[in-house]
Amino acid sequence: MPKAGPRPVARLGVRRAAPLRGMWMLGPALVAGVAYLDPGNVASNMTAGARYGYLLVWVVLAGNIMAWLIQYLSAKLGVVTGQSLPEVLGTRIRNRWARRAYWLQAELVAMATDIAEVLGGAVALYLLFDIPLLLGGAITGAVSMVLLAVQTRRGPRHFEFVIIGLMLIIVIGFVAGLFVAPPDPAGVLGGMVPRFDDSGSVLLAASILGATIMPHAIYAHSALTRDRFPARGPGADSRRPSLRTLLTVTRWDVTIAMVIAGSVNLAILLLAAANLAGVEGTDSLEGAYAAISDNLGAVIGTLFAVGLLASGLASTSVGAYAGAEIMHGLLTIRIPLLARRLVTLIPALIILGIGFDPTLALVLSQVVLSFGIPFALVPLVALTAQRRTLGEHANRPLTTVLGVVFAALLIALNAVLLWLVATGA
């Protein structure tokens, strides 16, 4: 007796599950988006709101719009080529010494990012449990090693679940204060008008953008989508969705991630603008925590510190992942993530051990990040505009124009940041 063919009900079930399947493919952008919620962002946005009120609301919004396009281009490169940005550059930069020089600057940027994130976690542990900064930095590094072990042994999906869980804690920690003391709607609307007050506001605007668009997030996102959606090849799963489907899901993924990151960054600025304007000492994480606790209560202050801790733990894990990918892509050297995490933890522990001001170290790390912006942005826009790289999925002319404009603007603002810091303006 012949076997019965597949039942129509089964096919209907597959069709009905398609939207759920699309949701299941979300995740890489949420992991990369944690880079937009690191302690450097907290410090920049908190200081901007405390010093200038609602003046720089427009900067946070503009930065988020630019971040959406940049992160989408990075994700698209990984989805279409099946390679990360460092891998593509590793094959395109033929000169060995040029490739090594490019790797060195990218590696230094990743390490500077990592220092800021470990410092943020150490400060949070000090605020919550009065743990000495050096020990707090060691604990932050140890926990990040556990998170990276999840990625190494359980795969990208489990790593995404952990990071997304930490992102939820970040959202609660940094947004809770707005429900206790909401901002002035008129002030928020007024802050959407682009303007500056003085050189200090320009410096903070550049700091906000510098802390928002970070090179390691660009490198990491292309690798995350590559790992999550490996390209078709011999023996590959034939059920892999089409590139068009993956790119559609990726756009939604990036949109959700950037809405969350942008909303939280805006919430931090608004919280400071509404409640900490003119309060002394809010230019440091410790001072901001004390001011929030004094003005909004101990519960909100504790939630802020918990959010800061989750921020440091999640972002340092993503930073270590990005650094490993940079080395692998450009030098074809694969160092185990946990070993790399141990090595890159040393500079942060040295800074904490010698008693260097953590907030100043955070600011200086943002300056180092500024040097790396052009080296990540320019190749990203150029590669995604090439048909020989992305074929029919290459950027449309308008996308390329926007990418060039955003890259030029970010490079110029970071140059202004470097100049203002150098001149002490």
Side-chain angles (χ1 to χ4, degrees):
M1 186 174 180
K3 293 181 180 180
R7 293 180 297 173
V9 174
R11 292 188 179 185
L12 287 173
V14 171
R15 287 176 184 173
R16 286 175 181 169
L20 295 177
R21 185 183 183 187
M23 291 193 64
W24 182 253
M25 291 188 287
L26 301 175
L30 291 170
V31 175
V34 165
Y36 293 84
L37 298 172
D38 78 339
N41 290 85
V42 178
S44 296
N45 290 310
M46 187 67 67
T47 303
R51 287 188 184 176
Y52 294 98
Y54 302 101
L55 178 70
L56 299 179
V57 165
W58 67 274
V59 177
V60 177
L61 298 177
N64 212 53
I65 292 171
M66 290 187 279
W68 185 95
L69 179 61
I70 291 165
Q71 292 305 135
Y72 174 66
L73 294 182
S74 174
K76 181 169 75 167
L77 181 71
V79 168
V80 177
T81 66
Q83 294 181 300
S84 66
L85 177 58
E87 284 178 319
V88 175
L89 291 174
T91 59
R92 296 291 180 90
I93 304 175
R94 300 297 179 85
N95 184 281
R96 179 174 59 181
W97 293 106
R99 189 169 62 250
R100 288 176 177 175
Y102 186 95
W103 164 78
L104 181 60
Q105 64 79 27
E107 200 69 58
L108 290 174
V109 166
M111 290 182 69
T113 305
D114 201 39
I115 288 172
E117 291 153 355
V118 172
L119 292 177
V123 170
L125 288 171
Y126 170 75
L127 296 176
L128 287 168
F129 307 111
D130 202 27
I131 294 175
L133 290 176
L134 180 59
L135 179 58
I139 293 173
T140 301
V143 174
S144 69
M145 291 180 72
V146 174
L147 299 182
L148 290 170
V150 172
Q151 199 276 342
T152 302
R153 299 178 183 178
R154 303 298 298 274
R157 192 58 179 164
H158 289 85
F159 184 60
E160 288 171 12
F161 284 145
V162 174
I163 298 300
I164 291 170
L166 288 172
M167 177 180 277
L168 179 61
I169 295 174
I170 295 169
V171 172
I172 294 172
F174 292 148
V175 174
L178 290 182
F179 292 94
V180 176
D184 174 31
V188 176
L189 288 175
M192 295 182 183
V193 180
R195 66 191 191 282
F196 296 107
D197 261 4
D198 51 29
S199 62
S201 62
V202 176
L203 175 60
L204 274 172
S207 297
I208 290 171
L209 291 175
T212 300
I213 314 293
M214 292 191 288
H216 83 284
I218 298 172
Y219 298 129
H221 202 166
S222 58
L224 288 164
T225 53
R226 175 208 61 196
D227 291 347
R228 189 77 147 70
F229 309 119
R232 281 193 178 101
D237 189 350
S238 61
R239 294 172 297 175
R240 180 183 189 265
S242 67
L243 281 178
R244 290 195 179 278
T245 299
L246 288 177
L247 290 175
T248 299
V249 172
T250 296
R251 281 192 289 271
W252 278 105
D253 195 23
V254 174
T255 300
I256 293 170
M258 291 301 100
V259 166
I260 293 173
S263 298
V264 173
N265 280 315
L266 183 60
I268 295 170
L269 188 148
L270 295 180
L271 179 68
N275 302 282
L276 306 181
V279 177
E280 294 293 330
T282 52
D283 52 351
S284 70
L285 293 174
E286 299 95 319
Y289 165 78
I292 290 172
S293 299
D294 291 342
N295 287 273
L296 302 180
V299 172
I300 299 301
T302 299
L303 287 175
F304 173 83
V306 170
L308 180 63
L309 177 60
S311 167
L313 293 174
S315 54
T316 192
S317 302
V318 175
Y321 172 88
E325 183 57 37
I326 289 168
M327 177 173 286
H328 168 67
L330 291 165
L331 301 184
T332 63
I333 296 174
R334 178 74 77 179
I335 294 179
L337 268 177
L338 298 183
R340 178 186 173 79
R341 164 75 280 181
L342 194 59
V343 171
T344 55
L345 185 61
I346 294 174
L349 295 181
I350 291 174
I351 289 174
L352 291 171
I354 63 177
F356 196 84
D357 179 18
T359 302
L360 178 57
L362 278 171
V363 172
L364 294 177
S365 72
Q366 303 307 307
V367 174
V368 175
L369 289 179
S370 300
F371 284 105
I373 287 285
F375 295 101
L377 276 181
V378 173
L380 176 68
V381 174
L383 288 169
T384 53
Q386 295 174 354
R387 291 189 68 85
R388 73 184 181 107
T389 303
L390 297 188
E392 64 177 312
H393 302 290
N395 298 340
R396 296 176 180 177
L398 178 59
T399 303
T400 300
V401 169
L402 288 175
V404 170
V405 171
F406 289 170
L409 182 60
L410 286 166
I411 291 169
L413 281 173
N414 277 278
V416 170
L417 172 62
L418 293 173
W419 181 78
L420 289 173
V421 170
T423 58

